[in-house]
Amino acid sequence: MTVRAEIRSTDGLEQDFDSIFLAHWGEIYRYLSRMLGDEAEDVAQDVFLKLHLHPPKPGSNYRAWLYTVATREGLNRLRSRGRQRSLFERLIGLWRDDADSGPEAEVESSDERRRVRAALATMRPLYARLLLLRHEGLDYGELAEVTGTKRSSIGTLLARAERQFEERYLAMGGSV
Amino acid sequence: MRCPTDGRLRALLDGGDADAEAHLRGCERCRRRLESLRARTHRARVALSALEPTSTPPVEAALEKVWHRAERESGMSEFGRRSLRPYLAAGLVVVAMIAALAISPMRSAAFGWLGIIKVERFEAITVDVSELPFHPANATGERALSRAVLGELHTQNPDSRPQKVGSIQKAGSVMGRQLATAGNRIAGEGLGAVYVTRPERASYTVDLARIQSALDREGAKGVRLPQELDGKTFTLNVPRGAIAVYGRDGQHEIVFAQGASPWITIPQGVNMDYVRQDILQIPGLPKDLVRQLQEVRDWKHTLVVPIPRGGSSRHVSINGSDGLLISDRTGELNVVLWQRDGQLYALGGHLSSDQALASARSVRYP
């Protein structure tokens, strides 16, 4: 059954969308959480909202599609962080829904997390994405689809990504 | 076969490659290269695991939120979905009580509903916002709440923006009293900015017909509010407060806020004990919410602080005064609330819970 059929079928419409959601919510949230911190839930909702409103073409690999959209939305959110909210607003955010609380990356106090995110942030973006996606368990075909690269290049790119990550991570004071 | 590239060896770690494996059997150097790559892959995985979220939002609640948004965006009735109806019937009034505590200027009205006369202690209640028919932090929800339930709220001072002042001493001058100051640990971070909030006096007159009409219109038929409230005016007074922000790098700021306790005037003829019981007995209210509110014993002197699920709180003692420590779900952002001699204090920021408590306990009072 194609994604479109699953999502758009009139029989059990909610159940079909729900089953996709239930199967992939956790991994998409975790992926975005690594990228964004506390804004992850908000962006993850955006991703599934897009799946509901604008599903991919019939026959698509919807897991890869979800990661593609999550990557795009996550990067958009990172770029829009130029106007950072004040701490005061973030404290106020404590009393709001956790989906709306301040971006975790901005309030990071964990040294290790900060080092890892800082290392990722200074890497070639493609390498950082590949590293996070592979860590999430995507296979080489899915990695190629989500990042728009050739499947046969994934091994080389991953080896370079891991080497670059280690260099940047050590430069940030990390230890291996 | 020639020695495989690093890329091919790296791919071998993730799956079979018969040719490469055959080569490795006869090539010691490539076996060492493979082990080196394997070790690096492992180190990267370990490092990345530091970014593992401490928890994942409950999937059912997340699904409900997405459906809620999808229905809104696709033009369906916001209240048309099966699972929201009971919560809508749950009574917008109590939702307003919770949301309003968090959202200015509506918190004024919420104090009225809760009947707080003077804050002497704190209680936290856990709120699952997915159970609420309105998203409390959502501007649309706020407007809807305001329109549907609260009606017109008359504030004496519509400009509620805080006033920036040059120092804590100047803030004290504006407020007409000497202020408490942060201890050395916080003060050592450097004072970034000081603000004084404007006094607020808000009155709210209950118009039962309007509220009932709004409830009926939104599908909450059957919800009836206490008649004795009709036409009664509640007045809330929030004195000036001072907010000092320490730290200069924008990433490690610590906020220390203080102000006198707000108080409300409850109109004659209104027994807030009865009103509260009536409101809490509205059919369909989330049971867990009602239970938590009912467990607040000295509710007239208790500030109920709603925190989202995932956050945590515990009672603490700050130099002999009752206080509340609130942590976000990462545990990296902590805030302490406490009161002393009729003044309320809040201190928080990117501190561990121990640091936040130590900082609160080191505050110097005039």
Side-chain angles (χ1 to χ4, degrees), chain B residues 214-231:
Chain B
L215 290 172
D216 290 348
R217 191 168 57 247
E218 301 290 354
K221 292 182 188 297
V223 175
R224 289 292 174 266
L225 301 176
Q227 280 297 324
E228 63 178 297
L229 286 176
D230 195 28

Side-chain angles (χ1 to χ4, degrees), chain A:
Chain A
M1 184 183 283
T2 65
V3 176
R4 182 176 290 273
E6 285 179 358
I7 296 169
R8 290 283 175 83
S9 63
T10 50
D11 265 342
L13 173 97
E14 293 174 14
Q15 183 56 49
D16 291 332
F17 175 78
D18 287 2
S19 63
I20 296 171
F21 187 97
L22 295 173
H24 298 289
W25 164 258
E27 60 178 327
I28 294 296
Y29 171 80
R30 282 194 304 275
Y31 172 60
L32 286 165
S33 183
R34 290 193 184 93
M35 192 187 298
L36 298 170
D38 240 6
E39 282 182 296
E41 187 178 356
D42 201 22
V43 179
Q45 281 185 27
D46 290 345
V47 172
F48 283 96
L49 191 61
K50 282 185 174 12
L51 176 69
H52 183 274
L53 298 175
H54 310 289
K57 288 183 293 190
S60 299
N61 175 341
Y62 57 81
R63 183 173 186 238
W65 185 91
L66 286 169
Y67 275 103
T68 303
V69 176
T71 301
R72 188 173 63 235
E73 295 291 315
L75 291 174
N76 285 343
R77 185 62 67 105
L78 282 176
R79 280 191 283 268
S80 72
R81 278 184 177 173
R83 290 183 299 112
Q84 293 188 350
R85 292 189 289 178
S86 71
L87 173 71
F88 186 68
E89 289 172 297
R90 294 199 294 273
L91 288 173
I92 294 297
L94 265 181
W95 279 268
R96 296 183 175 175
D97 175 19
D98 47 5
D100 194 51
S101 56
E104 187 186 55
E106 294 165 15
V107 299
E108 205 90 75
S109 67
S110 154
D111 287 346
E112 179 62 6
R113 286 188 189 200
R114 195 164 48 235
R115 267 195 292 273
V116 173
R117 284 222 176 91
L120 289 168
T122 60
M123 289 173 66
R124 184 180 168 192
L126 171 64
Y127 289 173
R129 289 205 299 276
L130 273 169
L131 216 52
L132 289 170
L133 290 163
R134 179 62 194 145
H135 189 72
E136 201 52 56
L138 269 68
D139 64 29
Y140 281 28
E142 291 169 326
L143 290 176
E145 187 172 341
V146 173
T147 58
T149 52
K150 289 181 187 170
R151 191 184 188 291
S152 58
S153 303
I154 294 296
T156 302
L157 293 170
L158 270 178
R160 290 176 184 167
E162 286 165 353
R163 186 183 308 125
Q164 190 173 81
F165 172 76
E166 191 157 283
E167 289 167 4
R168 306 295 163 89
Y169 175 66
L170 289 171
M172 298 292 168
S175 59
V176 295

Side-chain angles (χ1 to χ4, degrees), chain B residues 182-197:
Chain B
N184 290 337
R185 186 190 173 283
I186 301 298
E189 298 286 331
L191 184 60
V194 183
Y195 302 90
V196 176
T197 61

Side-chain angles (χ1 to χ4, degrees), chain B residues 136-153:
Chain B
N138 176 308
T140 308
E142 185 176 345
R143 284 196 297 274
L145 276 168
S146 177
R147 190 177 60 248
V149 179
L150 299 175
E152 296 302 318
L153 187 67

